[in-house]
Amino acid sequence: DTAVSQTPKYLVTQMGNDKSIKCEQNLGHDTMYWYKQDSKKFLKIMFSYNNKELIINETVPNRFSPKSPDKAHLNLHINSLELGDSAVYFCASSPSSGRYYNEQFFGPGTRLTVL
Amino acid sequence: LAKTTQPISMDSYEGQEVNITCSHNNIATNDYITWYQQFPSQGPRFIIQGYKTKVTNEVASLFIPADRKSSTLSLPRVSLSDTAVYYCLVGRILTGGGNKLTFGTGTQLKVEL
């Protein structure tokens, strides 16, 4: 009965490879997010999807592409991985409402290491 | 975007009250202030949220002055299990949907016996 799940938990790969991280939420939320947390623990939003439409696309390289097959899933695909992509990536979800920012529920994170 | 800054770290002892302040000078009218807690190898977890004045729940209180340019998370009688990183988040709903969110730099709280 995990609310927000991510796979894999750990991902080790070589520079130049293409990889994907999957995220699923069973909370019935309308909005899902991807965050990057670097080695200094800074959390930065990368994308958010609301009802399968991209709403925020922060200044991230276009090597990163979010894909949402349905409202419960938001996958992150990364092309041509670079050393600087090494970080922990968190998926999150939140309900939508008219005016108020809503609590986000985070997944356990995926630690990506690029060698 | 609201720029949010927090102390890098704080130390405390069990049973003490801990206050962590976040500065957000450029907060917008529609921005809410939310605090999250993060343990090692886990995702952040919601603690409390407010817009102005004071909010209290079963785990914490949030104090927001009238100008809303800062906020203070208050943890009463901390225990060892409160050792974690605490983030403030300033965010709002955008016209047309979605959120504009800025996480603070995080404060590592260490609680000792």
Side-chain angles (χ1 to χ4, degrees):
Chain A
D1 58 349
T2 303
V4 182
S5 60
Q6 296 178 227
T7 54
K9 188 169 177 63
Y10 300 97
L11 182 55
V12 181
T13 188
Q14 299 287 331
M15 261 196 322
N17 285 349
D18 302 337
K19 291 293 180 184
S20 292
I21 307 173
K22 296 184 177 181
C23 177
E24 177 182 0
Q25 55 96 3
N26 61 7
L27 298 167
H29 290 164
D30 292 328
T31 306
M32 296 183 71
Y33 311 80
W34 277 106
Y35 285 87
K36 178 180 180 180
Q37 186 171 47
D38 62 22
S39 58
K40 295 183 178 180
K41 303 293 187 183
F42 294 142
L43 270 166
K44 184 176 179 180
I45 188 169
M46 301 176 71
F47 304 101
S48 75
Y49 255 72
N50 181 273
N51 291 325
K52 297 180 64 176
E53 293 185 20
L54 181 66
I55 296 180
I56 301 174
N57 185 350
E58 298 292 322
T59 54
V60 299
N62 57 14
R63 298 182 294 103
F64 291 79
S65 56
K67 299 202 185 302
S68 179
D70 55 59
K71 195 173 77 167
H73 297 84
L74 183 63
N75 303 324
L76 183 64
H77 189 73
I78 315 170
N79 290 325
S80 304
L81 278 157
E82 300 177 358
L83 292 177
D85 297 332
S86 295
V88 180
Y89 292 84
F90 288 100
C91 176
S93 73
S94 68
S96 297
S97 68
R99 289 185 57 198
Y100 304 104
Y101 164 75
N102 286 298
E103 170 188 354
Q104 294 180 63
F105 294 79
F106 283 80
T110 297
R111 181 174 294 277
L112 171 65
T113 303
V114 182
L115 303 174
Chain B
L1 286 179
K3 181 179 179 182
T4 58
T5 56
Q6 306 173 228
I8 294 175
S9 63
M10 295 183 70
D11 294 329
S12 183
Y13 294 96
E14 275 202 319
Q16 290 190 332
E17 178 184 81
V18 171
N19 297 307
I20 306 174
T21 297
C22 180
S23 173
H24 29 80
N25 291 324
N26 297 327
I27 190 168
T29 301
N30 295 331
D31 282 346
Y32 277 75
I33 300 158
T34 312
W35 283 81
Y36 285 83
Q37 176 191 56
Q38 186 181 27
F39 296 114
S41 301
Q42 295 185 24
R45 186 179 69 171
F46 174 92
I47 301 174
I48 196 166
Q49 181 183 84
Y51 183 79
K52 61 181 179 180
T53 62
K54 177 184 175 181
V55 179
T56 298
N57 62 21
E58 62 275 8
V59 297
S61 293
L62 178 58
F63 299 92
I64 305 169
D67 65 6
R68 302 199 330 120
K69 293 186 177 182
S70 66
S71 59
T72 299
L73 173 72
S74 180
L75 304 172
R77 297 181 298 281
V78 295
S79 64
L80 293 175
S81 62
D82 293 317
T83 295
V85 179
Y86 292 82
Y87 293 94
C88 70
L89 169 64
V90 178
R92 65 185 181 274
I93 297 293
L94 299 175
T95 301
N99 298 285
K100 206 66 173 174
L101 306 170
T102 306
F103 267 97
T105 48
T107 299
Q108 173 66 63
L109 172 64
K110 182 179 179 182
V111 180
E112 299 176 291
L113 288 172

